[in-house]
Amino acid sequence: MKLIFAIINNDDSHEVSTALTKSGFSATKLASTGGFLMAGNTTFLICTEDKCVDEAINIIRSRSRRRTLSVPAGQGRTDPSAFPSEIAVGGATVFVTDVERFEKL
Ligand code: 2BA
């Protein structure tokens, strides 16, 4: 079993969620905040069989758009003078980890 963490733009979250559910995946959505921009995003937790990981990631990839955001000077934790006025965010940021034990009690 694997656990997929997928950090998704809030604007894509509903579509990702619907597509995963339609394909039979169980997912938990957590409200999260990016450490750099301090803007809201959605973190999906998806526990699934090893053989299904690529299918889940393909669903996420196809529903997560890359966006260019204008960022006001001073936003984000860097030197404001070095901060770009535009920044590319997403599609999704995905981590996959092993699950030692999975039970529903
Ligand atoms: P944020 O941390 O708010 O980052 C938003 C975007 O700002 C990032 O987009 C990236 O383009 C830029 N960025 C982040 N940290 C930066 C830095 N130290 N210097 C310059 N630019 C920086 P994405 O890479 O697409 O990330 C979108 C969101 O995914 C992040 O929101 C964060 O919530 C999560 N994320 C990305 N990489 C991560 C990682 N290695 N570990 C944990 N969460 C991560």
Side-chain angles (χ1 to χ4, degrees):
M1 295 290 283
K2 300 284 187 193
L3 176 61
I4 303 170
F5 293 81
I7 302 164
I8 312 265
N9 191 293
N10 279 346
D11 292 340
D12 296 328
S13 141
H14 180 71
E15 211 180 316
V16 168
S17 181
T18 303
L20 286 170
T21 303
K22 269 190 188 158
S23 296
F25 289 98
S26 292
T28 295
K29 290 163 66 176
L30 306 177
S32 46
T33 304
F36 189 68
L37 292 181
M38 304 293 180
N41 49 33
T42 304
T43 299
F44 283 71
L45 307 184
I46 306 151
C47 193
T48 190
E49 301 286 343
D50 291 28
K51 65 176 192 255
C52 297
V53 167
D54 286 343
E55 182 187 355
I57 289 176
N58 284 334
I59 290 169
I60 293 165
R61 179 186 290 113
S62 66
R63 267 92 180 167
S64 303
R65 287 195 300 114
R66 191 160 183 80
R67 295 171 169 80
T68 303
L69 304 180
S70 295
V71 181
Q75 189 176 347
R77 291 190 173 171
T78 59
D79 173 7
S81 64
F83 199 81
S85 60
E86 291 202 325
I87 199 161
V89 182
T93 300
V94 175
F95 313 99
V96 181
T97 65
D98 288 324
V99 172
E100 202 168 301
R101 181 165 165 170
F102 173 80
E103 291 188 34
K104 290 195 175 183
L105 305 177

